[in-house]
């Protein structure tokens, strides 16, 4: 059964973000096709998509390689997110549905509960779902897509320190949802801007020093085989 190129693209992107493929390492169609149990056609299509997204570059005499973003490029991504996340929240206040509000409120309740119990790993996942849902509530597929790509690339380039006071962070999440529920665009924008600025301060670049890099491929944390791929 042929696997959709988008599924292969998601699997390769996830492995790049997880560090399975080192920056600058080659991505050959044959090896990728064998790894993910697909033909070379969807792999070729996936590599083109990942190149457009900035995860892959094509080099003369080397072919497709994992990109090596500069520190300035990484910093630009954080700045872009600081501009777009508040815009998404403002749009969500105008366009959200009751279904969006139900999910957002449920995530805030779970986040506040996990924060009280000190479950930091759960909080990271819940925070990602919260911001993904908030972007979807903006009613703008283009903005949602841009924010999703930003989150993937920022997760690839940065590690994030756990907040010293996670309950405060989830209180901000709750404030965003309250503003969105009231249809208060400016309030939603302002709280999200403050929240994003604070979160940005906790980001630390992952980049290894070029001279210390060892070209290697680590074992994937999620073995991929065709039928189970999502998206």
């Amino acid at each position: 059964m042929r696997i959709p190129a988008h599924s292969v693209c998601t699997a390769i992107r996830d492995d790049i973000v997880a560090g399975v493929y080192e920056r600058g390492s080659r991505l050959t169609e044959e090896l990728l096709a064998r790894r993910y149990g697909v033909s070379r056609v969807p792999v070729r299509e996936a590599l083109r998509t990942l190149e457009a997204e900035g995860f892959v570059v094509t080099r003369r005499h080397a072919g497709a390689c994992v990109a090596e973003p500069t520190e300035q490029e990484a910093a630009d991504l954080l700045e872009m997110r600081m501009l777009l996340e508040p815009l998404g929240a403002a749009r969500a206040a105008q366009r959200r549905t009751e279904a969006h509000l139900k999910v957002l409120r449920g995530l805030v309740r779970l986040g506040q509960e996990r924060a009280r119990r000190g479950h930091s790993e759960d909080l990271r996942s819940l925070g990602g779902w919260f911001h993904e849902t908030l972007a979807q509530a903006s009613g703008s597929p283009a903005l949602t897509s841009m924010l999703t790509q930003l989150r993937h690339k920022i997760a690839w380039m940065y590690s994030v320190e756990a907040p010293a006071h996670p309950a405060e962070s989830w209180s901000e999440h709750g404030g965003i949802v309250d503003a969105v529920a009231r249809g208060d665009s400016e309030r939603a924008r302002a709280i999200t801007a403050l929240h994003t600025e604070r979160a940005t301060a906790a980001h630390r670049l992952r980049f290894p020093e070029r001279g210390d890099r060892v070209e290697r491929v680590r074992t994937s944390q999620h073995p991929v085989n065709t039928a189970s791929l999502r998206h």
Side-chain angles (χ1 to χ4, degrees), residues 29-228:
E29 292 179 8
E30 182 179 357
L31 290 178
L32 292 173
R34 187 181 310 133
R35 178 182 181 83
Y36 300 110
V38 297
S39 72
R40 294 175 63 171
V41 173
V43 168
R44 189 175 306 125
E45 295 174 4
L47 290 176
R48 283 198 290 265
T49 298
L50 292 170
E51 184 168 17
E53 293 179 357
F55 288 96
V56 171
V57 295
T58 300
R59 293 178 176 158
R60 190 176 182 183
H61 305 308
C65 301
V66 178
E68 299 178 271
T70 65
E71 290 188 17
Q72 184 59 62
E73 289 170 334
D76 287 346
L77 294 175
L78 291 179
E79 186 173 0
M80 290 170 63
R81 189 179 68 172
M82 289 177 67
L83 294 171
L84 294 178
E85 289 276 9
L87 174 62
R91 291 290 183 268
Q94 300 168 343
R95 303 171 180 173
R96 90 295 185 279
T97 65
E98 288 302 316
H100 290 131
L101 285 177
K102 182 177 181 180
V103 174
L104 289 168
R105 285 170 171 153
L107 289 170
V108 168
R109 283 195 299 271
L110 283 173
Q112 291 173 336
E113 176 190 337
R114 298 297 192 274
R116 286 194 297 270
R117 297 183 180 182
H119 296 175
S120 58
E121 288 305 312
D122 288 349
L123 291 178
R124 188 170 305 234
S125 297
L126 288 170
W129 293 336
F130 176 89
H131 287 286
E132 182 177 344
T133 304
L134 185 64
Q136 292 170 354
S138 73
S140 170
L143 180 57
T144 301
S145 177
M146 291 178 69
L147 284 168
T148 298
Q149 285 194 35
L150 282 173
R151 279 193 292 274
H152 285 316
K153 294 181 79 171
I154 288 170
W156 174 38
M157 298 181 197
Y158 289 92
S159 60
V160 183
E161 296 177 354
H165 305 288
E168 292 182 5
S169 177
W170 280 93
S171 177
E172 291 173 356
H173 284 121
I176 293 169
V177 176
D178 288 343
V180 168
R182 293 195 305 269
D184 190 340
S185 297
E186 291 310 310
R187 179 70 172 162
R189 185 193 298 268
I191 299 176
T192 304
L194 177 62
H195 175 74
T196 305
E197 183 178 357
R198 288 178 177 171
T200 295
H203 286 64
R204 301 290 180 266
L205 274 172
R206 296 182 187 273
F207 295 128
E209 295 297 326
R210 285 186 65 90
D212 295 338
R213 184 197 298 129
V214 177
E215 299 294 347
R216 58 197 173 91
V217 174
R218 294 204 294 268
T219 301
S220 173
Q221 296 179 358
H222 56 284
V224 179
N225 192 2
T226 65
S228 63

